[in-house]
Amino acid sequence: MNPVYYLYLAALLFTIGAAGVLIRRNAIILFMCVELMLNACNLAFVAFSRLHGNLDGQIIAFFTMVVAAAEVVVGLAIIVTVFRSRHSASVDDASLMKL
Amino acid sequence: MENLIGLLVAVPLLGAALLLCGGRRLDGKGHYIGTVLAASSFAIGAVLFADMLGRGEHDRALHSHVFSWIPVGGFHADVAFQLDQLSMTFVLLITGVGTLIHVYSIGYMEHDERRRRFFGYLNLFLAAMLLLVLADNYLLLYVGWEGVGLASYLLIGFWQHKPSAATAAKKAFIVNRVGDVGLSIAIMLMFTTFGSFAFAPVLAEADRAGEGKLTAIGLMLLLAACGKSAQVPLQSWLGDAMEGPTPVSALIHAATMVTAGVYLITRSGAIFNAAPDAQAAVVTVGAVTLLFGAIVGCAKDDIKKALAGSTMSQIGYMILAAGLGPIGYVFAIMHLVTHGFFKAGLFLGAGSVMHSMNDEVDMRKYGGLRKYMPITFITFGLGYLAIIGFPGLSGFWSKDKIIEAAFAKGGTEGWILGGAALLGAAITAYYMTRVMLMTFFGEKRWVADENGNEPHPHESPGSMTFPMIVLAFGSVFAGGLFSLNDAFVKWLEPVTGHSHGDSPLSAAAVTGGTMVVLVIGVGLAWAQYGRRPVPRTAPRGSLLTRAARRDLLQDDFNHVALVQPGQYLTRGLVYVDHKLVDGVVNGTAASVGGLSGRLRKLQNGYARTYAVSMFGGTAVLIAATLLMRAV
Amino acid sequence: MSFPLLTVTAAVPALGAIATAAVPAAKRAAAKWVALAFSLATLVLAAVALVRFDPGGARFQLTESHAWIADFGVRYELGVDGIAVVLIALTAVLIPFVILAGWHDADPLEGERPNRRWRPTQGFFALILMVEAMVVISFEATDVFLFYIFFEAMLIPMYFLIGGFGDRAGERSEEETATQRSYAAVKFLLYNLAGGLIMLAAVVGLYAVTADDLGTGTFSLQQIVQARASGDLSIATGTERWLFLGFFFAFAVKAPLWPLHTWLPNAMGESTAPVAVLITAVVDKVGTFAMLRFCLQLFPEASKWATPVILVLALISIIYGALLAVGQRDIKRLIAYASISHFGFIILGIFAMTTQGQGGATLYMVNHGISTAALMLVAGFLITRRGSRLIADYGGVQKVAPVLAGTFLIGGLATLSLPGLAPFISEFLVLVGTFSRYPVLGIIATVGIVLAALYVLVLYQRTMTGPVKDEVRGMPDLKARELLVVAPLIALLIFLGVYPKPLADIVNPAVDHTLSVVDEKDPKPDHPVDAGWFSYSPMHDGASGGAK
């Protein structure tokens, strides 16, 4: 199969993720959309790795996963804290840099 | 001997410093210190005078260089004194009359709690006036010139708690400052023309410069003289200056300071001689003022203001004489000296009258005082006879010569000037007779004021009458003494030069004419004020009388032409400065603030908005990169 | 290596500032004495510099030079000419009086509990000393960059002095006073900062130009002047003009020149009298001084190019400042506008490009410093007593407090340049210097002296004379401390009015040198009198020769 199709898929996933980040307000959904974008990138990396015939892309994909995991940890912690204080997970409610 | 000249100035200056900084400790004896120092200054002057008489006619000038004052580039000003016959005449007049007036003030100011300060100011005045006449260059003269202005300011406003006195003092200073602008510019012109402003070089080489330059310098000096000597158009301050204590009016605003303009013009004779246009301006000012002052003097009911009008008019005579050139200089100074005697005497007499009348100045509330104050009456009377030019008295000798010199100017000009001087003599006789009659003759017109205080006229104490008697002697004999063998002419001639014009009228004819107008003037006044009783309140009077009471509308003119536009201008400028100049500054600040206010709205705190701008920015960057590649 | 006198003169007040600030909160009063002691020590050092300065010697004396930021050619270069040494002396003389006059200005209000962290008394005096240190080093610096740093850094302590300390509220509410004060302080800061930033651009530009022509860039005034004279460094006409404007703008804001003056009345009006003196008598002098030292010498051609415009602006300043002073209702603002008029005279003298004009302008800086200090400090004493700055709130003070009125009058008379007092000499020299080259401008400027008489005497009349107002009754006369402030200033005014020669002798060679850099000579008199007339005073080439 032509690896370029994977790139199309990656672009599609990234766009869905980006649109989700821009449109949705719920922090959890936002988070999932960010994950979607990250994974779209991963897909692109792996596809490129295949295309070029070396492993660089696959290595970077692992890095991205690690970063994404770390991000999820910190991010969810923040969201939980915000939810506790505001009883809402909407990002618009947290528009000020103070509680 | 040279060193004594500096001492002449230093002694009264020391007095001023001592009395003004000495504090209350000196309250009890301040007036004695001041008087003694003034007298010692006179003594030094007398010693110098004796020394000067001992030397040959052309060898009399003394010069004393004290120190270099302002040396900057080609600009040298030195503190250096020059004592020649002209300065000597002034020194004796200033210290002599000055000392007498110090003595007079001991009595006059006896009840004033600030007497010490008064004497300090008087000493300050003496020092400044002596500096003025002794300076050997125009810049040092300027120091004395403004110094006397300061002393005059302080003394006019001596009774500062009266707003009218404070206003009068301020007015005098500011009007004088206008004249000072003239003196400044004259000095600057001299510097750019000659590279110097010392008397000796400038006057010796004056004719090397073009007539245009000299005319400019002359006109500027005239402006200065107008300010200090209260000549038209800068005359308006002198009448108000009578707010000061009467000894001040006698010393400063009659005998000495106001004659400084005459000194300046006479001293700068070499410049005026070479600038006929400037001379024409001087005689015009002199002639106009002598009539102006005389007319004002006729209408005033305030005895001091009537005398102030007279002073203005008499100085007009002097300026007129000085403007005539070498025919007139000597007589200008001679009249200045005799005027110093009789006018000081008249003012002291007026002061004596006021002193006994509870400081009443309105002549309509005097009358018949000759019975109560015989010494004042006699001394005042002699001064009166001197000023109207009664034959044989001082004023006769000096004023007659000026009228003669005015005719001697020659041509139509001579007739006009001579005619004006004669007319002035007639009016002088009229208003002085009026003063005399209203004050000392007729019935008593004073009544008790609302508090029930009725004045009890009485003769003044000895310290006051003594100076009046001395001055009366001067008023009677000085003129005759000066004219003996032309003594005064010979005395001053080496400094000022002297020439005889060709008069279309003989001396006898002029004297005859003067006598005729004198009789007319006295007769008119007698007909009006002697024959019938003087009303206690002034009648409405003719249009001219009413205008003259308002100083011929000089203040109204100044108010409309200068004060009001000035006020509008400053108010307008305050507005402009606040709204326009500062407005631009604040406007810039506000627009920056407004812009940042707009920009601030972009930072709304919504994460999504930032994400959009990030995405948008990235998209734009990528698009731009691709576009660049494509091109 | 010789003793670094100039560095020490600037360092002593700086150390004084630190020492004053370090005084513990409990010993508030000691801070005043520490500050006074350090300011007096500076005065001694300045006097030593004045004595050791040889008027006939080299152009810059007591020089120090060390590499500082070698990569950018910035050096720590100090040196004084006659003009600088005199102005340093002025600064050193005035600061002790400023400190003495402000003795109680930073005391805590009654009932106010002294704060442990913010100690106003210590801060006030430390800031004054800090300003002194920076002003002194600005006068000393011969490296443009070094000068720039302190020229700008001065704004920081001044900002706090204006914004942090003001007159006690009096009749206005405390809140309104604070608002006005912070407005004035911010305006002062931003205005001067804007000027400074434009100057910074010009400083960088200057570096670029020198780097281009000389190989290595330099900020050294002497090096640049020499290089320009020898032809090693040529700056294109257009470039020179832009650089000149950049420098001049900053100095014109500081000086201040019309129409860049509006910060001054606010700043002087809202700050306490000693701080107002600090602004107008000390800090602003750096502006006019820098015009003489940097504008004229770095950019002689551009200076001549801009002269007509600057002269007209100076003339407008003179008349405009005086007219606005007449129209003021607030004593301090009146003095501020009078100062604007006086700065007009100084700038007029500098750009008349004659020895009398520039010599007069330099003396004017000194004399204006002293006379304004005298007038403003007495006005401050008056305002403290009554708690109002409005002229209309006074009347008849002369009767109640004669010494105060007398000193006020003398300060006023000095302000209107009465002959016999120091300002007369400088003002007359400026006028003569201007007149000899531009007669019309000279005459118009002379009219300023009438207006000066008007605003001073109107102020005196309204406050001091007339019937005694009820609020004024019982006002105490000057106390010993206040007399100690005013009396020496008045003595100085009289002394310098009678015998200015020592000062003039120090200033003259520096002025001659400045003029030679600009390549201007005094106009010759049209019909010079014979040189023999000057036999009793030392001959000068201005008086001889040139006869036609």
Side-chain angles (χ1 to χ4, degrees):
Chain A
M1 206 155 99
N2 191 344
V4 177
Y5 294 132
Y6 291 101
L7 289 182
Y8 288 140
L9 178 63
L12 193 67
L13 285 174
F14 189 88
T15 314
I16 292 169
V21 168
L22 294 182
I23 293 165
R24 302 304 296 263
R25 292 186 188 171
N26 190 309
I28 305 285
I29 309 260
L30 234 70
F31 226 74
M32 288 162 67
C33 289
V34 170
E35 285 301 310
L36 203 57
M37 285 157 72
L38 282 171
N39 284 317
C41 292
N42 277 348
L43 185 60
F45 276 126
V46 175
F48 280 124
S49 171
R50 174 81 179 177
L51 260 172
H52 296 296
N54 60 20
L55 293 176
D56 294 359
Q58 296 184 30
I59 293 167
I60 290 181
F62 278 109
F63 272 111
T64 316
M65 282 180 217
V66 174
V67 170
E71 185 216 323
V72 168
V73 173
V74 178
L76 279 177
I78 293 174
I79 290 169
V80 169
T81 322
V82 169
F83 184 79
R84 270 191 195 153
S85 68
R86 292 176 194 272
H87 305 290
S88 145
S90 166
V91 282
D92 286 3
D93 286 348
S95 65
L96 297 174
M97 289 184 84
K98 56 181 184 185
L99 289 175
Chain B
M1 270 301 149
E2 282 88 350
N3 298 336
L4 279 184
I5 307 177
L7 207 58
L8 208 50
V9 182
V11 167
L13 197 61
L14 173 77
L18 216 62
L19 293 177
L20 293 178
C21 306
R24 301 241 158 79
R25 267 161 297 160
L26 292 176
D27 270 354
K29 42 195 176 298
H31 43 289
Y32 295 120
I33 298 176
T35 312
V36 166
L37 287 174
S40 27
S41 195
F42 177 65
I44 299 171
V47 169
L48 283 165
F49 180 57
D51 174 68
M52 185 178 274
L53 284 180
R55 272 172 289 133
E57 196 168 281
H58 291 281
D59 193 28
R60 282 180 170 163
L62 282 179
H63 197 271
S64 147
H65 181 253
V66 187
F67 58 87
S68 172
W69 182 28
I70 317 178
V72 172
F75 185 95
H76 306 272
D78 295 297
V79 173
F81 299 120
Q82 167 184 319
L83 182 70
D84 57 10
Q85 290 91 323
L86 182 60
S87 311
M88 194 71 237
T89 313
F90 272 91
V91 166
L92 291 177
L93 176 73
I94 295 160
T95 54
V97 176
T99 308
L100 287 176
I101 284 169
H102 273 76
V103 173
Y104 180 88
S105 309
I106 296 178
Y108 192 84
M109 301 298 284
E110 197 177 353
H111 305 296
D112 197 299
E113 53 175 350
R114 290 159 72 229
R115 178 159 66 161
R116 167 179 62 87
R117 193 181 292 249
F118 181 80
F119 277 84
Y121 292 158
L122 277 188
N123 271 356
L124 178 67
F125 168 76
L126 282 191
M129 190 71 201
L130 288 169
L131 186 64
L132 194 163
V133 297
L134 287 171
D136 94 323
N137 61 68
Y138 283 96
L139 199 66
L140 193 60
L141 176 144
Y142 190 18
V143 175
W145 190 265
E146 285 233 349
V148 293
L150 170 67
S152 155
Y153 168 79
L154 293 169
L155 285 166
I156 295 172
F158 186 72
W159 287 317
Q160 290 181 327
H161 49 92
K162 291 200 304 193
S164 57
T167 309
K170 180 190 69 182
K171 183 176 178 186
F173 196 95
I174 288 167
V175 174
N176 268 294
R177 264 263 153 151
V178 176
D180 295 345
V181 169
L183 189 53
S184 301
I185 294 176
I187 296 173
M188 291 190 256
L189 270 169
M190 284 177 207
F191 178 70
T192 55
T193 312
F194 302 109
S196 170
F197 40 81
F199 291 150
V202 168
L203 298 177
E205 310 199 11
D207 41 9
R208 280 173 58 187
E211 199 186 311
K213 275 270 165 68
L214 291 176
T215 306
I217 296 176
L219 289 176
M220 285 299 126
L221 289 176
L222 174 64
L223 178 63
C226 283
K228 194 87 357 187
S229 294
Q231 300 293 295
V232 176
L234 298 180
Q235 81 292 25
S236 64
W237 63 272
L238 188 62
D240 295 3
M242 296 301 132
E243 286 288 344
T246 309
V248 171
S249 311
L251 177 62
I252 302 185
H253 304 116
T256 55
M257 183 190 88
V258 283
T259 58
V262 183
Y263 171 78
L264 184 68
I265 292 177
T266 311
R267 177 58 83 194
S268 318
I271 293 171
F272 284 97
N273 291 346
D277 290 345
Q279 276 188 322
V282 175
V283 290
T284 312
V285 165
V288 168
T289 312
L290 83 87
L291 292 175
F292 188 106
I295 293 171
V296 169
C298 291
K300 293 285 183 186
D301 289 333
D302 177 331
I303 185 167
K304 285 179 75 182
K305 293 210 167 157
L307 289 177
S310 158
T311 304
M312 212 185 274
S313 161
Q314 297 300 314
I315 296 170
Y317 273 106
M318 300 170 207
I319 297 275
L320 169 68
L324 294 172
I327 8 173
Y329 291 134
V330 176
F331 302 127
I333 302 299
M334 188 161 128
H335 192 53
L336 191 156
V337 176
T338 55
H339 173 257
F341 285 119
F342 56 68
K343 187 52 69 60
L346 287 171
F347 264 112
L348 293 191
S352 173
V353 170
M354 285 160 57
H355 198 65
S356 71
M357 295 291 289
N358 294 354
D359 288 327
E360 176 62 61
V361 290
D362 189 348
M363 292 190 288
R364 293 188 185 276
K365 293 174 186 157
Y366 293 165
L369 286 175
R370 68 180 185 284
K371 283 170 280 183
Y372 301 92
M373 339 179 46
I375 304 180
T376 307
F377 168 62
I378 292 170
T379 52
F380 195 94
L382 290 173
Y384 154 72
L385 290 177
I387 193 174
I388 63 170
F390 192 80
L393 271 65
S394 288
F396 167 76
W397 300 104
S398 50
K399 199 193 285 177
D400 209 37
K401 293 283 188 194
I402 293 179
I403 299 174
E404 212 178 302
F407 278 114
K409 177 84 176 166
T412 332
E413 218 184 331
W415 283 105
I416 296 173
L417 295 175
L422 262 184
L423 181 60
I427 308 178
T428 307
Y430 172 79
Y431 68 72
M432 281 313 299
T433 312
R434 174 174 175 270
V435 169
M436 198 67 198
L437 290 173
M438 285 174 86
T439 308
F440 291 103
F441 293 90
E443 293 306 311
K444 74 161 198 163
R445 291 185 298 273
W446 64 85
V447 289
D449 63 7
E450 59 266 29
N451 299 332
N453 294 331
E454 197 184 323
H456 298 286
H458 54 87
E459 191 51 270
S460 298
S463 68
M464 284 168 71
T465 47
F466 166 72
M468 285 152 61
I469 295 169
V470 176
L471 288 170
F473 270 99
S475 318
V476 175
F477 299 113
L481 217 61
F482 290 161
S483 304
L484 220 59
N485 288 332
D486 279 344
F488 201 76
V489 175
K490 284 183 190 148
W491 162 252
L492 271 189
E493 198 181 351
V495 182
T496 59
H498 187 63
S499 69
H500 297 277
D502 48 332
S503 174
L505 294 174
S506 70
V510 172
T511 312
T514 321
M515 287 307 110
V516 172
V517 298
L518 190 151
V519 171
I520 296 174
V522 172
L524 266 177
W526 188 75
Q528 231 177 322
Y529 296 95
R531 243 167 17 134
R532 50 175 188 242
V534 181
R536 282 200 76 238
T537 46
R540 202 170 125 81
S542 67
L543 200 64
L544 180 67
T545 316
R546 271 178 285 150
R549 277 194 198 126
R550 294 186 66 107
D551 300 315
L552 292 179
L553 305 180
Q554 50 184 330
D555 280 333
D556 305 78
F557 174 78
N558 287 349
H559 190 74
V560 172
L562 297 168
V563 177
Q564 270 185 340
Q567 278 172 347
Y568 289 131
L569 180 66
T570 46
R571 261 182 241 153
L573 277 180
V574 169
Y575 184 80
V576 164
D577 195 57
H578 188 62
K579 295 288 174 193
L580 202 72
V581 182
D582 209 22
V584 170
V585 177
N586 285 337
T588 316
S591 57
V592 170
L595 186 66
S596 54
R598 300 271 155 69
L599 287 174
R600 200 179 52 137
K601 297 223 171 89
L602 294 178
Q603 301 283 322
N604 57 8
Y606 294 126
R608 283 174 300 126
T609 326
Y610 303 145
V612 170
S613 62
M614 262 167 68
F615 278 117
T618 318
V620 169
L621 278 180
I622 291 172
T625 320
L626 290 178
L627 209 68
M628 293 301 280
R629 280 243 185 103
V631 178
Chain C
M1 199 182 112
S2 60
F3 180 68
L5 183 61
L6 294 185
T7 304
V8 174
T9 312
V12 165
L15 288 175
I18 296 169
T20 310
V23 172
K27 298 212 168 85
R28 206 174 42 74
K32 304 171 179 181
W33 291 103
V34 171
L36 188 62
F38 273 94
S39 71
L40 288 174
T42 316
L43 177 59
V44 171
L45 287 166
V48 171
L50 198 61
V51 171
R52 281 188 38 193
F53 184 84
D54 169 22
R59 162 94 166 109
F60 285 108
Q61 298 181 23
L62 307 170
T63 49
E64 293 166 37
S65 182
H66 305 282
W68 184 22
I69 312 177
D71 288 346
F72 296 109
V74 177
R75 298 183 65 81
Y76 178 78
E77 251 185 19
L78 302 182
V80 287
D81 59 0
I83 300 172
V85 78
V86 164
L87 289 174
I88 291 171
L90 168 74
T91 310
V93 165
L94 287 180
I95 298 294
F97 294 121
V98 166
I99 290 176
L100 264 179
W103 207 247
H104 297 302
D105 279 4
D107 286 353
L109 289 171
E110 257 173 71
E112 191 183 58
R113 289 180 57 197
N115 189 323
R116 194 165 274 282
R117 306 258 294 280
W118 166 234
R119 296 169 296 174
T121 312
Q122 284 88 330
F124 183 71
F125 293 101
L127 287 171
I128 291 177
L129 285 176
M130 202 134 91
V131 172
E132 176 177 26
M134 287 170 176
V135 169
V136 167
I137 207 158
S138 307
F139 286 137
E140 291 169 346
T142 55
D143 185 284
V144 178
F145 195 80
L146 185 66
F147 169 82
Y148 173 77
I149 289 175
F150 288 101
F151 181 74
E152 285 295 276
M154 230 181 278
L155 300 178
I156 303 165
M158 282 314 300
Y159 170 77
F160 288 111
L161 279 173
I162 297 170
F165 305 89
D167 289 325
R168 298 286 141 84
E171 315 214 318
R172 291 188 296 176
S173 74
E174 192 72 54
E175 200 173 338
E176 192 196 334
T177 315
T179 316
Q180 284 292 322
R181 196 188 301 152
S182 87
Y183 168 72
V186 169
K187 193 171 183 180
F188 162 82
L189 185 71
L190 287 183
Y191 223 130
N192 281 280
L193 211 57
L197 286 179
I198 292 175
M199 180 181 165
L200 179 63
V203 169
V204 173
L206 183 69
Y207 178 78
V209 172
T210 52
D212 262 4
D213 263 26
L214 299 176
T216 56
T218 176
F219 290 108
S220 163
L221 174 69
Q222 281 171 288
Q223 211 180 334
I224 294 173
V225 170
Q226 270 165 20
R228 292 207 71 179
S230 65
D232 289 344
L233 173 65
S234 62
I235 306 180
T237 316
T239 318
E240 188 184 334
R241 288 178 185 174
W242 280 112
L243 293 179
F244 168 82
L245 288 178
F247 276 73
F248 185 77
F249 185 78
F251 303 149
V253 168
K254 188 77 96 188
L257 181 67
W258 188 89
L260 306 173
H261 65 274
T262 51
W263 62 269
L264 186 71
N266 284 324
M268 279 177 74
E270 296 305 325
S271 53
T272 64
V275 174
V277 169
L278 208 58
I279 298 171
T280 185
V282 178
V283 170
D284 285 356
K285 295 298 180 301
V286 181
T288 44
F289 163 80
M291 287 181 196
L292 263 174
R293 179 174 269 188
F294 295 108
C295 280
L296 293 193
Q297 302 194 30
L298 289 174
F299 316 110
E301 292 307 315
S303 300
K304 282 194 246 180
W305 162 76
T307 295
V309 178
I310 294 172
L311 287 178
V312 170
L313 290 180
L315 208 56
I316 294 176
S317 283
I318 294 173
I319 304 294
Y320 186 91
L323 281 173
L324 274 159
V326 175
Q328 292 306 310
R329 278 176 281 181
D330 173 324
I331 298 176
K332 281 176 162 177
R333 287 179 70 92
L334 188 149
I335 299 174
Y337 277 107
S339 283
I340 291 168
S341 178
H342 288 139
F343 279 111
F345 274 108
I346 296 176
I347 296 172
L348 190 70
I350 292 174
F351 282 88
M353 309 268 187
T354 53
T355 43
Q356 292 86 37
Q358 293 191 346
T362 308
L363 293 180
Y364 211 126
M365 291 185 221
V366 176
N367 297 338
H368 171 256
I370 304 171
S371 67
T372 308
L375 183 62
M376 192 64 174
L377 292 179
V378 180
F381 299 149
L382 184 70
I383 291 167
T384 320
R385 281 167 166 69
R386 168 77 174 79
S388 165
R389 302 186 332 222
L390 292 183
I391 296 170
D393 285 348
Y394 296 87
V397 175
Q398 202 278 335
K399 193 100 178 159
V400 191
V403 179
L404 191 153
T407 48
F408 192 69
L409 181 62
I410 295 178
L413 291 173
T415 303
L416 63 77
S417 299
L418 188 85
L421 297 175
F424 165 72
I425 289 164
S426 38
E427 188 162 300
F428 198 81
L429 281 173
V430 165
L431 289 173
V432 163
T434 311
F435 185 86
S436 60
R437 183 155 285 151
Y438 311 98
V440 178
L441 296 188
I443 289 171
I444 300 174
T446 311
V447 175
I449 72 172
V450 178
L451 296 174
L454 196 61
Y455 61 70
V456 168
L457 294 185
V458 168
L459 172 66
Y460 184 78
Q461 186 194 354
R462 297 214 177 128
T463 52
M464 298 297 172
T465 69
V468 183
K469 286 217 170 172
D470 284 342
E471 297 88 343
V472 169
R473 216 173 288 276
M475 183 183 273
D477 210 337
L478 287 190
K479 295 195 223 25
R481 170 182 64 87
E482 295 165 330
L483 210 55
L484 188 66
V485 171
V486 181
L489 290 176
I490 288 175
L492 258 180
L493 282 175
I494 295 174
F495 175 75
L496 290 179
V498 175
Y499 196 55
K501 189 166 180 289
L503 219 54
D505 284 344
I506 296 177
V507 169
N508 282 341
V511 167
D512 287 341
H513 187 272
T514 309
L515 280 176
S516 76
V517 171
V518 190
D519 195 25
E520 285 278 10
K521 286 198 173 57
D522 286 348
K524 295 270 180 224
D526 306 336
H527 310 278
V529 294
D530 193 55
W533 290 109
F534 297 104
S535 54
Y536 48 76
S537 55
M539 272 302 307
H540 193 280
D541 54 6
S544 67
K548 287 171 195 148

